[in-house]
Amino acid sequence: MDLGAKEPAVFIFLLVIFTFSEFSQAQNLCSVPLPVIFFKENNTIDEVVTTINAFEGVTAVITSQNPPDLFDINDEYELIAKTVMDYETFDKNKPYEVNIECTKPSFTPTSLLLRIILEDINDNPPSFKESRYTLEVKELTKVDTSVGLITATDPDESDRLYYRLESPEGEFDVETSFNPNILVKKLLDYDKVKQITMTLYAQDTPIGSSIKVSHTATATVVVDITDIDNRPPWFQPCTDFTFETSTVCLNSGYNGVVTLKEQETDPLKLAPGPVYAIDGDTGIKEPIGYTFMGGNEDGIFNINTDTGNITMLKPVDVVGPFVLTVMAFQKLNPDQFATTTVILKVALTASEFPPKFTKDAYEGFISEDAGVDSLVLESKTSNRALRVQATDEDFSNGYNPNLRFEIVDGTDFYITPEGFILMAKAVSPGTVNLEMRVVDTENDESSTAPLMVEITPGVPTTTPVTTITTTDNTDSTQLTDITDTSHPSTHTTTHPGTYTTEHPNTGGQLGKAGDFSSGDMAAVGATLAVFVVLCLVCIGLLAHRIKGHNAAWKKLSEASIFRSTLGGGSGGPKEGMQYVNESFQNDGDTPDNSRLAADLENKLEPEQSGSSQEKITRSAFLQTNSKPSADSSSLADSENTDGEKEVKPILTKERRTDEGYKSVWFREDIDPDTKEEVVIIPDTGEADGDHEDDEEDDSEEDDEDDLRTDMDLEDDDRLTSM
């Protein structure tokens, strides 16, 4: 292509471009980056909203704005805010509009329409509609049941709120952190808790996030627990027992007394009180009705439907007792009911006087270390147990066998049927004030009396030391007790010839009936041991005496056999000769038998012409012992006149020591073929009698010794003359 031919075409093209550019500038003297502008609320005055792009020499003017007076244009072609804008007052459906016109001489004016949308920022805290909310839920409502929904609001619409609930025991909680639906999280019992107060929090930042919490709101939530009808009536008084979520209250029944053939006009007095029941659901308190279920077949008694008081319609004509079954029920819901028993005893006669204590008040003492089941004492210085007694003027002698003692309140002590006060558990030093009651079990009449028990501090046990002192100038022995002088209850008294042992008082507690201390048991054991030893000694003495008695009779038997052998059988005694058994003298038998054998020496008299031989018997010899002067001299004369016979002791055989063998001594040698008689003086009867009289005094024994000495001297004289 030829360049000359091309030049007109390029020129034309450039001219067109320049002309178009001039035309655009002529059409847009000014412009903005975006026709829609986002501007944050809470701005400052003269804060730039946007910048206007304009050619040099162009004038930009705001021709109109809605709302008015919000914006302006400065010399730098900047659209600025002339007021602080608030998103919460901003019309979200209609943005701000600003009309701007740009002019320049020789140019066509340019108009701009700007739309300004206000942006929300987190500048407002959330809030609850109310500061306190009250909700209600029934007891035993199932877990995760909704109780209520409580929400908060935030003027900053762009914010999302999060919730947190604080419950004292975790009874309730919100469903989620962004859903404040309050749910039950535990079973609730009206009798245990009737109202729960909680705090609900709302914040515009997530719960548990690291973002700093900017704004929060709180509200108090109170939940009232309402009672439901899930329990029957409860007879009063009663003892309640709880098993998991169920509670029952047990009543032991009622007791009363009526008199035979007498009709009471007033309601019967019962123990522990009149028949009375309440609704087990204390929050509902349904009215209760009463009726008999059994035991009143004869129609003697009547019960008030509203009050439960029992009255008599006619006298009682049987001994009884009567056992009445009473039902209490809810009048509006009879399906809820309970039963109890009323036992009425029948008394033969009416009581005019209640039992009374013999004293208006009682006072007792006990040591703190006395131990359980120890008796309360009358005073600090004695071991006498305190005993309470009561009389009944209905009895002529005041003694009522149907009385029962009891402690009205307190568990530290208890009282026995006999009226003794015992410690029930360990107590600290001090004073305990109790109230005792005596009850007539036949008619339940009673009276009371105060009891004050002083618990004294424990005192350690002190063992007395006993010393025995013997003096040379007295025959008596003095007993001295060395005791702890610091112990006020230790006393020592010394009297001549009297020995007294007293033990220190460590509180003076008497054990419960049938209970003994180790010291008591040791004393009893020692006494029994001494008694057994004495019994054994007595038995030994008796056995020894019996053995000696048998030995004496054995000697007599042996002598009798020997006599029969020498005398040729059963023939009578031979004349002219008499023998004495002297071998028993100094024998190893009992001391009394040996002495008597020595005393019983035989005397032989010579045979006189023309007269019969006089025989000396044992009885005559004993008489000689009593009167030695006359008989002994006559026997000596007879011996001296005997010239033919020689008197001398002989031993027939060697004496042996074998048990049961005895040797016999004779006055002269005896020919077995002769017919002379051997007279044996038996060692019987009187010997035993003397053996039993071994307790005679010393004077009698001395007389016997003197008698034996005289007799021995006479025998020696006779033997010498021979």
Side-chain angles (χ1 to χ4, degrees):
M1 174 179 296
D2 183 46
L3 182 59
K6 293 181 180 178
E7 288 180 357
V10 172
F11 176 77
I12 293 172
F13 178 75
L14 293 175
L15 181 62
V16 171
I17 292 174
F18 176 77
T19 302
F20 180 79
S21 175
E22 288 294 330
F23 175 79
S24 299
Q25 291 181 359
Q27 293 297 323
N28 296 291
L29 297 177
C30 61
S31 64
V32 293
L34 293 174
V36 178
I37 302 170
F38 292 90
F39 185 69
K40 293 182 178 180
E41 65 171 336
N42 297 336
N43 59 285
T44 60
I45 301 298
D46 293 334
E47 182 178 346
V48 176
V49 177
T50 187
T51 300
I52 301 174
N53 297 320
F55 291 101
E56 184 178 356
V58 174
T59 302
V61 179
I62 297 176
T63 57
S64 65
Q65 54 179 320
N66 186 25
D69 302 328
L70 295 179
F71 304 96
D72 195 4
I73 299 175
N74 60 17
D75 295 339
E76 302 294 332
Y77 295 101
E78 294 176 338
L79 181 67
I80 58 176
K82 301 300 294 183
T83 184
V84 177
M85 301 180 188
D86 186 8
Y87 177 83
E88 284 68 36
T89 61
F90 172 71
D91 188 358
K92 286 79 177 175
N93 297 321
K94 187 176 181 182
Y96 297 147
E97 293 183 352
V98 178
N99 291 310
I100 300 175
E101 183 180 32
C102 296
T103 61
K104 185 177 181 181
S106 304
F107 288 89
T108 302
T110 302
S111 297
L112 298 177
L113 177 61
L114 302 181
R115 290 181 173 86
I116 301 172
I117 299 175
L118 198 60
E119 287 186 320
D120 190 16
I121 63 174
N122 188 12
D123 61 338
N124 295 293
S127 62
F128 289 97
K129 185 177 182 180
E130 298 179 6
S131 61
R132 181 184 180 92
Y133 294 86
T134 300
L135 304 177
E136 188 176 278
V137 62
K138 294 181 179 180
E139 67 170 338
L140 304 181
T141 298
K142 293 182 178 180
V143 175
D144 289 336
T145 300
S146 176
V147 176
L149 177 65
I150 300 176
T151 59
T153 59
D154 191 341
D156 300 323
E157 294 183 355
S158 60
D159 291 344
R160 183 175 187 178
L161 298 181
Y162 301 89
Y163 299 89
R164 177 173 57 91
L165 181 65
E166 286 186 356
S167 180
E169 300 293 336
E171 299 90 346
F172 300 91
D173 201 357
V174 292
E175 184 172 355
T176 62
S177 62
F178 50 85
N179 182 7
N181 184 22
I182 299 177
L183 305 178
V184 176
K185 291 300 178 180
K186 287 185 178 180
L187 288 178
L188 305 173
D189 187 352
Y190 175 82
D191 294 314
K192 295 180 180 180
V193 57
K194 296 178 174 57
Q195 189 180 79
I196 299 175
T197 301
M198 304 174 293
T199 302
L200 180 62
Y201 295 88
Q203 62 188 51
D204 52 15
T205 53
I207 302 296
S209 68
S210 59
I211 301 176
K212 182 179 179 180
V213 178
S214 57
H215 302 286
T216 60
T218 59
T220 300
V221 181
V222 178
V223 180
D224 292 327
I225 313 300
T226 60
D227 200 2
I228 62 174
D229 190 7
N230 65 319
R231 292 175 181 168
W234 288 350
F235 284 99
Q236 301 298 304
C238 64
T239 304
D240 60 312
F241 298 91
T242 302
F243 176 73
E244 294 182 355
T245 59
S246 299
T247 301
V248 296
C249 202
L250 301 181
N251 171 263
S252 59
Y254 303 87
N255 296 276
V257 177
V258 295
T259 305
L260 186 66
K261 299 188 181 302
E262 292 186 9
Q263 180 179 353
E264 296 284 347
T265 57
D266 297 329
L268 298 181
K269 296 181 179 179
L270 304 177
V275 175
Y276 177 67
I278 62 173
D279 188 357
D281 301 310
T282 57
I284 299 177
K285 298 181 180 180
E286 290 282 353
I288 305 299
Y290 305 89
T291 186
F292 283 131
M293 293 292 292
N296 192 37
E297 288 76 10
D298 296 335
I300 299 176
F301 304 98
N302 179 61
I303 187 169
N304 188 296
T305 304
D306 297 325
T307 64
N309 290 332
I310 298 177
T311 56
M312 297 182 66
L313 300 178
K314 57 183 178 180
V316 174
D317 55 1
V318 294
V319 177
F322 291 90
V323 180
L324 306 176
T325 302
V326 178
M327 181 179 73
F329 57 91
Q330 293 183 10
K331 291 184 177 181
L332 300 180
N333 183 16
D335 291 336
Q336 296 285 17
F337 66 90
T339 61
T340 190
T341 57
V342 178
I343 300 177
L344 299 174
K345 297 181 180 178
V346 180
L348 299 181
T349 57
S351 174
E352 298 181 1
F353 304 96
K356 292 184 178 180
F357 286 96
T358 57
K359 294 182 180 180
D360 295 334
Y362 290 86
E363 183 179 14
F365 301 86
I366 193 170
S367 175
E368 66 168 331
D369 57 358
V372 177
D373 294 335
S374 296
L375 291 166
V376 175
L377 304 181
E378 288 185 348
S379 66
K380 297 180 180 179
T381 59
S382 73
N383 285 338
R384 185 173 182 179
L386 173 65
R387 184 179 184 183
V388 299
Q389 294 179 320
T391 60
D392 193 337
E393 295 183 16
D394 290 328
F395 295 80
S396 59
N397 59 356
Y399 174 71
N400 185 348
N402 302 313
L403 297 183
R404 181 183 76 249
F405 297 99
E406 59 187 16
I407 302 294
V408 177
D409 53 358
T411 58
D412 295 336
F413 298 88
Y414 67 95
I415 186 169
T416 67
E418 296 79 13
F420 294 103
I421 312 297
L422 282 78
M423 182 188 292
K425 62 181 181 181
V427 293
S428 301
T431 301
V432 178
N433 294 310
L434 302 172
E435 184 179 13
M436 300 181 298
R437 178 166 55 200
V438 56
V439 182
D440 188 341
T441 58
E442 289 295 320
N443 52 34
D444 292 332
E445 292 182 334
S446 63
S447 63
T448 60
L451 169 64
M452 190 276 289
V453 180
E454 180 178 345
I455 298 95
T456 60
V459 179
T461 303
T462 302
T463 303
V465 180
T466 303
T467 61
I468 300 177
T469 305
T470 304
T471 59
D472 296 337
N473 56 358
T474 180
D475 295 334
S476 63
T477 302
Q478 183 177 7
L479 181 69
T480 303
D481 289 342
I482 303 174
T483 57
D484 185 4
T485 58
S486 64
H487 199 295
S489 357
T490 303
H491 307 281
T492 301
T493 304
T494 304
H495 301 283
T498 303
Y499 299 92
T500 304
T501 301
E502 294 189 3
H503 299 282
N505 183 8
T506 60
Q509 302 311 314
L510 296 178
K512 193 176 181 181
D515 188 12
F516 299 95
S517 65
S518 59
D520 296 335
M521 299 305 295
V524 172
T527 303
L528 293 177
V530 172
F531 179 74
V532 171
V533 171
L534 292 177
C535 290
L536 293 176
V537 171
C538 293
I539 293 173
L541 292 175
L542 291 175
H544 185 69
R545 293 188 62 179
I546 293 173
K547 182 178 179 182
H549 181 73
N550 292 337
W553 279 103
K554 186 173 182 180
K555 296 173 185 177
L556 178 61
S557 176
E558 292 174 352
S560 298
I561 295 172
F562 182 71
R563 175 185 174 186
S564 300
T565 303
L566 295 178
S570 61
K574 296 181 181 182
E575 297 180 357
M577 212 54 181
Q578 178 172 303
Y579 302 92
V580 178
N581 183 5
E582 296 178 342
S583 66
F584 288 93
Q585 184 175 4
N586 299 327
D587 191 33
D589 298 325
T590 61
D592 294 335
N593 291 335
S594 299
R595 186 174 69 249
L596 293 174
D599 292 341
L600 297 177
E601 296 181 352
N602 295 321
K603 310 300 181 180
L604 179 63
E605 295 182 357
E607 184 176 356
Q608 302 291 335
S609 173
S611 63
S612 60
Q613 180 183 4
E614 182 179 359
K615 300 177 182 178
I616 299 176
T617 64
R618 184 174 185 273
S619 61
F621 182 72
L622 292 176
Q623 292 176 359
T624 301
N625 290 338
S626 302
K627 299 177 181 180
S629 59
D631 293 342
S632 298
S633 61
S634 62
L635 289 173
D637 294 340
S638 299
E639 292 294 338
N640 292 331
T641 59
D642 188 1
E644 298 179 357
K645 298 180 181 179
E646 182 181 3
V647 180
K648 64 179 180 179
I650 65 172
L651 180 63
T652 58
K653 294 182 180 180
E654 290 294 329
R655 186 170 185 178
R656 300 179 182 178
T657 60
D658 298 343
E659 184 178 359
Y661 184 87
K662 302 299 178 182
S663 300
V664 182
W665 289 77
F666 299 92
R667 298 180 64 178
E668 64 180 354
D669 292 336
I670 300 300
D671 185 358
D673 295 333
T674 64
K675 295 183 179 181
E676 297 183 21
E677 181 181 6
V678 177
V679 179
I680 304 300
I681 299 176
D683 187 11
T684 61
E686 296 298 332
D688 294 336
D690 292 339
H691 181 66
E692 294 174 356
D693 295 335
D694 55 356
E695 295 180 357
E696 295 180 352
D697 56 18
D698 295 339
S699 62
E700 292 179 357
E701 293 179 358
D702 294 341
D703 292 341
E704 291 178 1
D705 293 339
D706 295 341
L707 177 60
R708 288 195 296 271
T709 303
D710 294 339
M711 292 175 64
D712 293 340
L713 292 174
E714 292 176 2
D715 291 340
D716 293 340
D717 293 341
R718 286 193 296 272
L719 292 173
T720 304
S721 63
M722 292 180 185

